[in-house]
Amino acid sequence: MTSHAPETERMRARLHHPSRDTAASARKGGRRWKIALGSLALLSTTALLAGGCSSSSASGAAPSTPGADSSDGTSARSSTTPSPTPTPSPTPALDAAVKEVTDAQWSRMTAAGLWRKGCPDVREQLRRVEMNYLGFDGKVHRGVLVVNADVTASVIRIFTRLFEEEFPIRRMQPMEAYDGDLNASLRDDNTSAFNCRRPDQINAPFSESPHANGRAIDINPLENPWINLRTKQWQPSAEYKARTEGKGKIIEGGLVWRAFTEEGWVWQDIKVPDYMHFDTGYPSKPFKGPTASPSTASPSTAEQSAPAG
C-alpha cells in the first residue's frame, strides 16, 4: 500500500504558501490596478477642471435672467436664431375707394342745398370717391370727391398720377362741409366736384351744368382763380392770377393739364379764365372715356357761348 502523507503535505503547503509565479502575478496585477486607479483619478480631475471652465465661461456669456430676445432664458437658442427682417412700411398710395352715396350723406347734401327740385336727377348716379392726396404740408391726407359714376375710373387714374408726381392739394372735402356755399369753398382753397349750385352762384342751366351732373372738378381755387362773370373780379383772390409755375398751380402743358386732357377732360370750359376748372364737356352728358384727343375733346373756349359752371 502506497503512503499518501508526503503528497498531502505538499498540497497543504501550496494552499498556505502560494507559489512564486502566483505571487508574481499578484504583484503585476496590483501594479496594473494602481495604474488604472491613477488614470481614473487623472481623468476625473481633468473633467472637473473642464467643467469648471465651461461653467464659468457660460456664466460670463449668458445673462442671469432671460433677455428681451429670449422667451425661455436660453442664450444659445437666441444667439443662433436670426433676427426677423423688418417689413418695410408700404409706399403711400392713392388707395382710392368708390362708394355709393348713403342715405345719411344724401340727407346732408339736400339739407345743404346741393340738390333741390329742378336739379338733374342724379341721385343714383353719384359716387363718393375716397382717396389720399398730398397736402401743402407734405403729409398724406384723406379726401372725398363726389362725382358721377361714369367718371370714377378716370378720376382715379388722374389723381393717382397727381399723387405719384407729388402734386399738392390744399383740401378735398364734399360741398356739404360748406353748406353748399361755393364762395366759402373757394375761399378755403377746397378741391371739390358735385354741386348743383345756388341760383346766385350758377353759371349754366341746372340740367346742363357739369358740376350739377358730377362731371366737373375745381382744384386748388386760391392758386387757380377764376373771373366771376357777375362781378368781373378774380375769385377767391387775384393773388395767383398770373399763370407762372408755382406750388399747386395749374399751367397749360403742365402735369395737371396733361393728366386731365389726356383722359378727355377740358380745362376752363368757359369764356373767361377759370384756371381751377376741368369738366368732361358742356352741356354735360354721359362720359365715354378718353376717346378724343385734347384738341378735339370739345369746342375751344373762344367758341363757348355759355359758361360750363
Side-chain angles (χ1 to χ4, degrees), residues 67-84:
D69 60 348
S70 174
S71 60
D72 59 1
T74 306
S75 60
R77 183 180 304 168
S78 62
S79 64
T80 57
T81 303
S83 300

Side-chain angles (χ1 to χ4, degrees), residues 190-246:
N190 181 55
T191 295
S192 65
F194 172 78
N195 184 9
C196 184
R197 293 170 174 172
R198 298 171 182 175
D200 62 341
Q201 297 181 340
I202 198 169
N203 300 320
F206 295 138
S207 61
E208 299 177 346
S209 167
H211 276 292
N213 283 276
R215 299 189 186 103
I217 300 175
D218 291 336
I219 301 175
N220 292 345
L222 179 62
E223 289 75 22
N224 304 288
W226 79 298
I227 291 182
N228 190 317
L229 289 169
R230 296 172 180 81
T231 65
K232 309 300 182 184
Q233 300 293 319
W234 289 96
Q235 285 192 310
S237 165
E239 182 179 358
Y240 298 103
K241 67 178 182 179
R243 288 301 85 193
T244 54
E245 294 286 347

Side-chain angles (χ1 to χ4, degrees), residues 174-189:
M175 284 300 301
E176 61 265 29
Y178 300 91
D179 292 326
D181 186 346
L182 170 63
N183 293 330
S185 178
L186 298 182
R187 287 192 299 268
D188 204 30
D189 206 12

Side-chain angles (χ1 to χ4, degrees), residues 13 15 30 51 71 75 82 90 98 115 123 128 132 153 156 164-166 169 186 193 230 266:
L15 289 171
S71 60
S75 60
V98 179
W115 188 91
R123 167 70 178 90
R128 176 184 174 95
N132 293 334
I156 290 172
E164 291 176 348
E165 295 292 331
E166 298 184 351
I169 294 174
L186 298 182
R230 296 172 180 81
V266 186

Side-chain angles (χ1 to χ4, degrees), residues 52-98:
C53 291
S54 300
S55 176
S56 63
S57 175
S59 63
S64 57
T65 57
D69 60 348
S70 174
S71 60
D72 59 1
T74 306
S75 60
R77 183 180 304 168
S78 62
S79 64
T80 57
T81 303
S83 300
T85 302
T87 302
S89 300
T91 302
L94 189 76
D95 192 23
V98 179

